[in-house]
Amino acid sequence: MSKLAYVREKEIPQSAPPITEVGIIKWLRENLFSSWLNSILTVLSLYFIFILLKDFIPWAYGAHWTTGSIRECYDVNPDVACFSVLTARWKQLLFGFYPPEEYWRPTLTFFLLILSIIPILFTRFVRFFWFSLLYPGLAIWLLWGGSIWSVAIIYFGLGLGFLSFLIMDSRLIRSASISLLAACLITVLFFMFLASFSAEMLSSLIPIYLPYVESLKFGGFTLSLIVGVTGIVASFPLGIVLALGRQSDLPLVKMICVGFIEFIRGVPLITLLFVASVLLNYFLPPGSNFDIVLRVIIMVTLFSAAYMAEVIRGGLAGLPVGQHEASAALGLTYWQSQRLIIMPQALKISIPGIVNTFIGLFKDTTLVSIISLMDPVGLASLIRADTKWNGIYWELYIAVGLMFFIFCFGMSQYSQYLERKLKTDN
Amino acid sequence: MSEQPNEREIDRSKMEVTDEIAIHISDMNKWFGNFHVLRDINLEVKRGERIVVCGPSGSGKSTLIRCINRLEEHQKGNITVDGTELTTDLKNIDKIRSEVGMVFQHFNLFPHLTTLENCTLAPIWVRETPQKEAEEIAMEMLKKVKIPEQAHKYPGQLSGGQQQRVAIARSLCMRPRIMLFDEPTSALDPEMIKEVLDTMIELAEEGMTMICVTHEMGFARQVANRVIFMDEGQIVEQNEPVEFFNNPKSDRTKLFLSQILGH
Ligand SMILES: Nc1ncnc2c1ncn2[C@@H]1O[C@H](COP(=O)(O)OP(=O)(O)OP(=O)(O)O)[C@@H](O)[C@H]1O
Ligand SMILES: [Mg+2]
């Protein structure tokens, strides 16, 4: 028998790992003190956190919440926070100049918003998607008020167009493009000749009204959410269309999309907002009343759609050309292959960039304060101009920052959840 | 590149070449910019034929079969598939694409869909087959390529050989009358080549009309009824496999065969 040969005769039983390899000690060793450099960095970071919190915690912990003005705060203890300003003005920070007796409307709109995005965010609830479709109209009615029928008739018109498209496409004409044109025509005709008439008639028959609230009364976090959420919802499909247009084989379509994207990306958002608030008035017929909030929403939407388009284009470019070929070889049409094969993958690749753009858009809504709309930042300046609160800085901006942080952090967390969920390879 | 030993006898009972013309290509030319990739291609494929196309890299083999389902557009000459001529008419292109299955070197499965969804997608959207029926067909095809148990996995979780068999099943679900294969085994590890070739042999035994770009000469010997040799965008030589391998006529064919068979 050679010396190299060896056969195990006794099994070695499992035993517990040494104490340094388990639990907290192992974690500390591996993550915080794995080397000299690492240990020094750990100690430095701890010191840094300590400095930050050393002053902040007493400042925030002993804060005033109930005094009537910043003077009173200073008189009692000038070294702690004066959150009384939030106690006095939190409603304004949330609702702007919305009539106080109507606060329930934006509040309800907000909670319905949460309900309406659940079917979009979680596939489990997709059967409630009809509510997400219904929500925009409901929100417009709740926020601005007026007769419910003027909103309902818009839904009716769009539904009519959609139904006629479906019927023509599947039964009568069987050509998607002609059916689409005809359906658009029907919709336009409906809005031109029948819509306002039937809305008025229904309003007089079954009057369901909410008091009208004009856009200039909107403000605070309500305004940020209106502009932000609408911008996000509208810029996403627009961005997809622009990204596809940029890759199109049709030179004119391509030129328009590239021109649009490059123009928007080359111009600061503030400029666009000024255009929305001031310049547009010169071009519109005098006396026409083009809602300022709507104008801002349009500009913000166009702005982030251009960025969205570039993000999605990155995702499209990341797909192997074989995906296009395989779907073509199976006989799928261009739009089928975009919808079923290309976009799901391109969007999945682009999730981090898309959410980045969403977060950017949401924070950019604070720029509307420049054109004197009263978003939380605009309100903060306004409150500080009040003699009672003149001189207050941190307390207000911390509160505003925190509100934005909650939403942006939520979006970022959701995007990570989505990425994990959509992971199909391992 | 090697000759696969294959123990199984080929069942030739259904492998018969009919007189019906499946593909007719006449005087076809194609350029990529100034580069003349395909020159005066004339080829007639009868229903039931199994054709193997071989030739050096860059000789235009892929481009030729990709012209047949219009993944590439030819500039001169005609291609007629199953009686339908390939023109710029999108209707004809869609019709031909749904009749002609294609299997790619890199599988090109849809990674965001499960195996089953990969197979049911085109029947549902192109043929408007009801989902349940499409799933039944898909399971039948997955059984045929011997991986029904992988139906609910994603392509990223399968081995290369399994992925290529799914790709074949995906094509078969459209019930194509002609199958095109573009080097279906060249991206595979040696031990997986056989399982894919076996699937292709079974297809041939069922009488499928096939054009395979491949360097698997064992496969060519066993099932092909005709081998085509291409070089520099031209069909240089074609013959039945025994003659082609034992008695090549042109020098270019001889050189190619000596390189590929290694003697
Ligand atoms: N899209 C394209 N644009 C320009 N040239 C191309 C394109 N596709 C292929 N070619 C060129 O055309 C020639 C033929 O390509 P083809 O892919 O048909 O060769 P092949 O015989 O399949 O080679 P291989 O065995 O390497 O796959 C090659 O020289 C290639 O560089
Ligand atoms: Mg090739």
Side-chain angles (χ1 to χ4, degrees):
Chain A
M1 192 195 259
S2 96
K3 276 196 173 159
L4 286 170
Y6 170 77
V7 178
R8 171 167 301 288
E9 276 154 5
K10 234 175 76 188
E11 278 295 308
I12 302 174
Q14 285 221 3
S15 56
I19 197 79
T20 48
E21 282 303 308
V22 285
I24 256 187
I25 297 178
K26 172 180 157 139
W27 187 87
L28 281 178
R29 263 173 49 119
E30 280 188 357
N31 294 294
L32 299 181
F33 301 99
S34 63
S35 70
W36 269 109
L37 183 65
N38 198 339
S39 308
I40 291 172
L41 287 177
T42 302
V43 171
L44 275 179
S45 313
L46 286 177
Y47 179 64
F48 188 66
I49 294 172
F50 169 74
I51 295 187
L52 278 183
L53 294 184
K54 179 183 68 125
D55 292 331
F56 180 78
I57 288 183
W59 180 77
Y61 185 72
H64 303 287
W65 286 94
T66 50
T67 52
S69 73
I70 192 170
R71 279 280 117 249
E72 291 174 37
C73 282
Y74 284 173
D75 288 345
V76 183
N77 180 358
D79 292 329
V80 297
C82 182
F83 285 128
S84 317
V85 66
L86 301 180
T87 316
R89 297 292 194 98
W90 67 272
K91 286 180 181 158
Q92 201 177 26
L93 278 175
L94 290 184
F95 302 113
F97 298 100
Y98 211 86
E101 67 279 10
E102 307 285 344
Y103 278 172
W104 65 273
R105 283 160 52 181
T107 315
L108 179 63
T109 313
F110 176 71
F111 285 112
L112 291 181
L113 170 71
I114 296 175
L115 284 187
S116 79
I117 56 176
I118 286 178
I120 300 172
L121 297 189
F122 305 101
T123 41
R124 226 175 320 157
F125 299 101
V126 77
R127 63 184 178 282
F128 298 113
F129 187 66
W130 56 268
F131 182 70
S132 314
L133 288 179
L134 219 56
Y135 177 77
L138 197 59
I140 290 173
W141 181 61
L142 278 174
L143 290 170
W144 274 273
S147 163
I148 196 171
W149 297 110
S150 38
V151 178
I153 217 78
I154 295 179
Y155 269 77
F156 183 78
L158 294 177
L160 183 77
F162 185 65
L163 263 184
S164 50
F165 170 75
L166 281 190
I167 292 175
M168 281 189 287
D169 187 42
S170 62
R171 298 281 146 72
L172 300 177
I173 311 183
R174 291 194 144 265
S175 149
S177 39
I178 298 179
S179 310
L180 190 66
L181 268 181
C184 286
L185 193 71
I186 291 178
T187 317
V188 170
L189 286 178
F190 172 79
F191 279 116
M192 274 171 66
F193 297 112
L194 280 174
S196 60
F197 166 72
S198 34
E200 268 165 40
M201 213 172 68
L202 281 166
S203 307
S204 55
L205 278 178
I206 318 166
I208 306 182
Y209 280 96
L210 279 176
Y212 178 66
V213 180
E214 61 169 338
S215 287
L216 284 174
K217 295 245 169 70
F218 284 55
F221 216 60
T222 311
L223 181 65
S224 307
L225 273 177
I226 294 173
V227 176
V229 171
T230 322
I232 285 174
V233 170
S235 68
F236 185 50
L238 192 58
I240 294 181
V241 171
L242 284 171
L244 287 179
R246 188 165 191 162
Q247 303 220 313
S248 168
D249 293 333
L250 310 170
L252 202 65
V253 172
K254 183 174 176 151
M255 215 173 69
I256 292 174
C257 291
V258 172
F260 176 84
I261 292 171
E262 294 303 335
F263 171 74
I264 297 278
R265 288 204 307 165
V267 176
L269 178 57
I270 295 194
T271 323
L272 293 178
L273 290 176
F274 271 121
V275 170
S277 83
V278 190
L279 285 180
L280 271 187
N281 281 341
Y282 289 110
F283 298 117
L284 293 172
S288 68
N289 178 19
F290 190 12
D291 194 279
I292 179 70
V293 173
L294 186 60
R295 280 189 258 169
V296 166
I297 287 176
I298 291 177
M299 285 306 176
V300 171
T301 303
L302 295 183
F303 187 76
S304 74
Y307 283 87
M308 189 69 68
E310 287 299 284
V311 169
I312 294 172
R313 186 168 72 103
L316 286 171
L319 282 193
V321 54
Q323 294 291 309
H324 293 269
E325 292 180 348
S327 49
L330 285 169
L332 295 172
T333 65
Y334 173 82
W335 288 110
Q336 285 174 337
S337 112
Q338 290 300 337
R339 213 188 100 206
L340 303 166
I341 307 298
I342 306 304
M343 270 306 149
Q345 296 184 63
L347 293 180
K348 182 179 137 188
I349 304 176
S350 334
I351 288 172
I354 291 173
V355 174
N356 219 4
T357 315
F358 283 168
I359 291 178
L361 181 154
F362 191 55
K363 291 190 296 183
D364 280 351
T365 58
T366 52
L367 287 175
V368 299
S369 59
I370 306 257
I371 55 169
S372 55
L373 283 184
M374 285 302 154
D375 84 306
V377 173
L379 280 171
S381 320
L382 193 81
I383 294 172
R384 286 178 44 218
D386 184 339
T387 43
K388 275 201 280 183
W389 303 109
N390 195 337
I392 210 147
Y393 288 99
W394 292 99
E395 293 84 344
L396 269 178
Y397 289 117
I398 284 177
V400 173
L402 199 63
M403 286 198 279
F404 275 96
F405 178 78
I406 291 171
F407 280 85
C408 296
F409 187 66
M411 283 194 252
S412 141
Q413 287 300 305
Y414 177 74
S415 96
Q416 286 171 31
Y417 156 80
L418 200 60
E419 278 179 67
R420 277 196 305 273
K421 198 182 90 167
L422 294 182
K423 207 162 168 282
T424 56
D425 50 333
N426 45 6
Chain B
M1 301 274 156
S2 61
E3 292 184 54
Q4 285 288 311
N6 197 302
E7 309 83 41
R8 196 162 60 85
E9 253 325 287
I10 306 283
D11 170 14
R12 296 185 182 271
S13 58
K14 287 188 215 144
M15 287 168 86
E16 65 185 59
V17 178
T18 65
D19 281 340
E20 196 187 336
I21 296 171
I23 302 172
H24 184 88
I25 302 177
S26 62
D27 297 325
M28 194 260 280
N29 281 271
K30 167 157 188 69
W31 290 261
F32 281 124
N34 284 328
F35 177 51
H36 200 170
V37 252
L38 293 178
R39 312 181 197 176
D40 288 336
I41 302 286
N42 284 290
L43 181 67
E44 196 173 87
V45 182
K46 300 263 169 58
R47 182 153 316 289
E49 276 202 278
R50 287 106 25 216
I51 296 181
V52 161
V53 182
C54 60
S57 180
S59 54
K61 309 176 297 286
S62 301
T63 313
L64 170 62
I65 67 165
R66 288 157 60 86
C67 280
I68 295 173
N69 67 353
R70 220 359 126 99
L71 288 184
E72 304 286 358
E73 191 179 342
H74 62 281
Q75 279 101 25
K76 246 175 80 183
N78 315 47
I79 302 178
T80 308
V81 182
D82 265 339
T84 313
E85 188 182 344
L86 268 176
T87 56
T88 44
D89 187 349
L90 287 177
K91 282 231 166 65
N92 283 355
I93 296 177
D94 286 342
K95 180 158 178 289
I96 287 172
R97 281 177 176 171
S98 61
E99 303 278 320
V100 178
M102 182 153 195
V103 175
F104 301 86
Q105 180 174 0
H106 295 289
F107 331 134
N108 296 351
L109 291 176
F110 305 131
H112 62 302
L113 301 177
T114 62
T115 300
L116 188 68
E117 288 165 341
N118 264 279
C119 293
T120 56
L121 185 95
I124 289 176
W125 290 93
V126 180
R127 293 246 192 270
E128 296 181 9
T129 315
Q131 172 161 357
K132 212 166 150 280
E133 199 185 322
E135 282 176 5
E136 280 162 17
I137 300 174
M139 285 315 293
E140 183 191 324
M141 295 305 165
L142 287 173
K143 280 201 192 92
K144 179 182 278 203
V145 301
K146 304 200 175 64
I147 32 175
E149 72 282 0
Q150 311 287 2
H152 297 287
K153 285 201 183 158
Y154 287 95
Q157 300 165 325
L158 304 182
S159 76
Q162 291 174 325
Q163 290 192 43
Q164 191 61 298
R165 284 184 285 153
V166 172
I168 295 173
R170 177 177 71 176
S171 286
L172 293 179
C173 284
M174 288 293 280
R175 305 242 187 248
R177 310 188 68 191
I178 300 168
M179 286 287 289
L180 308 175
F181 292 85
D182 190 357
E183 306 207 27
T185 54
S186 354
L188 296 176
D189 292 336
E191 73 271 19
M192 295 171 185
I193 290 178
K194 185 168 175 295
E195 61 189 57
V196 171
L197 287 181
D198 280 346
T199 310
M200 291 169 62
I201 291 171
E202 266 165 48
L203 264 186
E205 285 175 332
E206 284 168 18
M208 176 67 80
T209 311
M210 302 165 62
I211 303 184
C212 313
V213 174
T214 181
H215 291 162
E216 296 296 333
M217 292 307 150
F219 173 79
R221 282 213 169 96
Q222 276 188 302
V223 299
N225 66 311
R226 180 152 49 130
V227 181
I228 292 179
F229 174 68
M230 287 187 70
D231 195 13
E232 297 188 346
Q234 303 158 68
I235 297 183
V236 173
E237 184 165 346
Q238 50 177 315
N239 213 333
E240 58 179 74
V242 180
E243 270 296 290
F244 180 85
F245 290 113
N246 296 347
N247 198 2
K249 304 280 182 306
S250 107
D251 292 339
R252 283 196 264 182
T253 316
K254 284 180 194 153
L255 180 66
F256 175 74
L257 284 179
S258 71
Q259 281 166 349
I260 197 169
L261 298 177
H263 43 64

